[in-house]
Amino acid sequence: MPDATPEENLEQLTSKELYDRAVRVAKDEHDVGFLWNLLRAIPAAAAALGETGRARFDLLHGLSLLEEFTHAGEGELGDALRPFYIEYLTEHAKRA
C-alpha cells in the first residue's frame, strides 16, 4: 500500500498486532506515560462494552488491571482499544 497513510496501514492490523506494536514502541522509547494511559483506558473500554463494574479505577482495581494489561490486545477489549493504539502509533510515526 505505497499510497496509504500510516492510519490506513494500521487499520489493516489486528487488535493484537496493534497492541504488540504499541507496547513494543513504548518499551523501546521508555514511554511509561503510554503504559500508564493504557492502564487507565482499560476500565473505560470495558465500560464501553457494557462491563460497568470494571469502569472504576482505584488501587485494588489497579492490581487486576495488571493482569488485564497482558491481554489488552485480545478479544472485545482489544477491539475497543484499537483507536487508542492507532492514535499512539500514528503520533509516534509523526515524531520519528
Side-chain angles (χ1 to χ4, degrees):
M1 295 173 126
D3 295 325
T5 66
E7 294 90 346
E8 290 170 328
N9 290 331
L10 293 173
E11 287 291 342
Q12 302 303 315
L13 300 176
T14 66
S15 298
K16 178 69 171 139
E17 290 169 325
L18 288 169
Y19 166 82
D20 289 344
R21 187 176 290 192
V23 169
R24 184 176 55 249
V25 166
K27 285 180 180 179
D28 290 349
E29 300 289 326
H30 305 283
D31 189 354
V32 177
F34 167 79
L35 300 174
W36 177 248
N37 288 336
L38 175 56
L39 285 174
R40 291 180 48 182
I42 290 171
L49 295 171
E51 300 175 28
T52 56
R54 293 170 46 196
R56 66 185 184 357
F57 185 84
D58 58 35
L59 180 59
L60 293 177
H61 188 72
L63 296 175
S64 69
L65 283 176
L66 294 177
E67 173 64 25
E68 290 184 70
F69 173 81
T70 61
H71 302 287
E74 301 169 5
E76 290 181 333
L77 182 62
D79 292 343
L81 290 166
R82 285 180 65 81
F84 180 78
Y85 302 137
I86 290 171
E87 179 182 353
Y88 178 72
L89 291 168
T90 301
E91 288 301 315
H92 183 269
K94 289 177 184 175
R95 291 187 301 246

